[in-house]
């Protein structure tokens, strides 16, 4: 069996940001020996294996590349537990799961990314985490350290870029916008992204799934930008309403109205419409969309574990309940009742009978 110990040592040494000479001195060998190991010309002496493994904080099996399948299976179990917890908003549990995983596999970038994400989400003011402000401050340095490590060393491009964007966002929310902007500027532009350039290298059988996936991703990106326009307080309320209507129209165009109408976004968009009509004192439309939002929230809370739909442009899509990620342990109906509908937009109707009936319906 071929051992990958040289490649592993080189990878771990670079992660620690030390030279071959520094590493050699620390473990008591010559730099030429380290060079020969890393070039797969020979292996370290057997008595050095536990010393090297201990230095890097890994198991001897992992150092020798003998347990990759075992590690992958173990990591998959950890990720399943993590995803199950985050789909229910149990962020502290996610942090514990990720920490335990990183302790067992300290150089697994997937787990490092999950830990960074959980720490970041624990400071989200949109969930029901009472200590979110404290978490923001408490985990700032750790999030930054994890993000910088992933940004610099992670070989998986998708993980690295996602962590880079999250690192930049973390700097921004802590008032370090110039640092955030500098990091954001290192991300590839839409003009040079893989999806825009790779088409010419694809074989015929690869083209249809590539196109369907790219159309879906482009749709989701465009929808998010329109959503921001409608929710960022940068245009008039009338234009915000038009923008939300464009979100509905865009979905009909791309998904042909085939997607099950029981997503978190369905409830939010209709609630948002209601709030904007309230600002315009158009209470008939306000109540119309509030009732729709209530129905969508109920549908979301009772959605099945998996749903499949299709359209000409994106093909068949399967949505799993476990793939939803949230920082809130409450059902959406309770969030709608106790948080969204407490917005000052609805102060003028708060004591109306119909508004009270809506609140009661969400109990």
């Amino acid at each position: 069996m071929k051992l990958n110990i040289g490649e592993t040592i080189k990878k771990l040494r670079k992660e620690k940001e030390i030279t071959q000479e520094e590493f050699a001195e620390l473990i008591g060998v010559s730099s030429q020996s380290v060079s020969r190991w890393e070039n797969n010309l020979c292996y370290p002496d057997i008595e050095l294996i536990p010393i090297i493994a201990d230095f890097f904080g890994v198991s001897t099996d992992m150092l020798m590349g003998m347990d990759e399948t075992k590690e992958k299976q173990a990591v998959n179990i950890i990720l399943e537990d993590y995803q199950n917890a985050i789909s229910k908003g149990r962020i502290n549990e996610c942090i514990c799961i990720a920490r335990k995983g990183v302790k067992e596999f300290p150089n697994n970038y997937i787990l490092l990314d999950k830990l960074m994400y959980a720490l970041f989400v624990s400071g989200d003011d949109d969930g029901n985490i009472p200590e979110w402000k404290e978490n923001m401050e408490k985990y700032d340095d750790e999030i930054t350290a994890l993000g910088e490590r992933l940004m610099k060393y992670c070989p998986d491009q998708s993980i690295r870029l996602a962590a880079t964007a999250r690192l930049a966002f973390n700097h921004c929310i802590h008032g370090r916008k110039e640092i955030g902007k500098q990091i954001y500027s290192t991300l590839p532009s839409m003009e040079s992204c893989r999806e825009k350039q790779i088409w010419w290298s694809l074989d015929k059988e690869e083209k249809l799934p590539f196109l369907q996936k790219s159309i879906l991703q482009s749709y989701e990106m465009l929808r998010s930008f329109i959503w921001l326009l409608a929710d960022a307080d940068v245009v008039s309320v009338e234009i915000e309403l038009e923008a939300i209507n464009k979100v509905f129209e865009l979905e009909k165009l791309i998904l042909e109205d085939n997607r099950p109408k029981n997503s978190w976004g369905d409830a939010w968009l209709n609630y948002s419409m209601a709030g904007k009509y309230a600002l315009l004192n158009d209470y008939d439309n306000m109540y119309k969309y509030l009732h729709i939002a209530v129905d969508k929230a109920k549908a979301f809370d009772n959605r099945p574990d998996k749903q499949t739909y299709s359209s000409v442009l994106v093909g068949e899509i399967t949505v799993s309940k476990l793939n939803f990620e949230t920082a809130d342990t409450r059902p959406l109906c309770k969030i709608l009742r106790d948080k969204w509908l407490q917005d000052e937009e609805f102060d003028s109707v708060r004591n109306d009978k119909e508004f009270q009936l809506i609140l009661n319906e969400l109990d």
Side-chain angles (χ1 to χ4, degrees), residues 239-291:
I239 293 178
E240 288 176 343
L241 279 168
E242 288 186 33
I244 296 176
N245 277 315
K246 296 298 182 185
V247 174
F248 290 126
E249 292 173 12
L250 182 64
E251 178 172 320
K252 289 180 181 179
L253 175 67
I254 303 299
L255 304 182
E256 302 169 12
D257 227 15
N258 289 336
R259 181 184 62 80
K261 301 301 186 293
N262 55 7
S263 72
W264 183 94
D266 290 316
W268 173 263
L269 281 173
N270 284 285
Y271 150 79
S272 186
M273 290 280 279
K276 296 184 191 310
Y277 277 120
L279 291 174
L280 296 174
N281 299 320
D282 183 346
Y283 297 117
D284 287 340
N285 273 314
M286 180 202 73
Y287 279 119
K288 171 187 172 182
Y289 284 99
L290 277 184
H291 283 293

Side-chain angles (χ1 to χ4, degrees), residues 61-158:
D61 281 348
M62 181 180 178
L63 181 66
M64 293 187 290
M66 295 174 61
D67 65 343
E68 290 182 8
T69 300
K70 181 180 177 182
E71 177 180 339
K72 187 175 181 180
Q73 291 172 343
V75 168
N76 284 339
I77 293 172
I78 294 169
L79 293 175
E80 287 176 8
D81 292 341
Y82 179 98
Q83 192 62 41
N84 184 59
I86 202 168
S87 71
K88 297 176 175 64
R90 301 198 296 259
I91 301 302
N92 288 334
E93 184 178 336
C94 290
I95 293 173
C96 291
I97 292 169
R99 283 202 191 284
K100 184 178 179 181
V102 168
K103 184 176 181 180
E104 185 174 358
F105 304 106
N107 296 291
N108 187 287
Y109 289 107
I110 299 175
L111 295 177
L112 289 167
D113 179 62
K114 293 297 185 184
L115 175 57
M116 181 191 181
Y117 181 71
L119 294 172
F120 181 79
V121 172
S122 73
D124 183 1
D125 64 343
D126 197 41
N128 65 333
I129 303 174
E131 65 277 14
W132 68 270
K133 285 185 178 179
E134 292 86 345
N135 288 343
M136 275 185 65
E137 298 302 323
K138 180 170 65 173
Y139 295 133
D140 181 21
D141 289 343
E142 188 174 3
I143 291 168
T144 299
L146 286 166
E148 289 176 348
R149 180 178 176 184
L150 289 161
M151 180 180 173
K152 190 170 184 179
Y153 297 115
C154 181
D156 186 307
Q157 185 182 51
S158 61

Side-chain angles (χ1 to χ4, degrees), residues 17-60:
E17 299 185 67
I18 59 174
T19 65
Q20 288 182 341
E21 290 76 14
E22 290 169 332
F23 175 54
E25 184 178 352
L26 287 166
I27 63 169
V29 299
S30 68
S31 59
Q32 291 83 1
S33 293
V34 175
S35 177
R36 288 196 293 271
W37 299 342
E38 294 187 358
N39 286 300
N40 292 316
L41 298 177
C42 64
Y43 298 136
D45 292 339
I46 191 68
E47 64 268 17
L48 285 174
I49 297 297
I51 296 173
I52 297 171
D54 184 64
F55 176 81
F56 289 121
V58 300
S59 68
T60 55

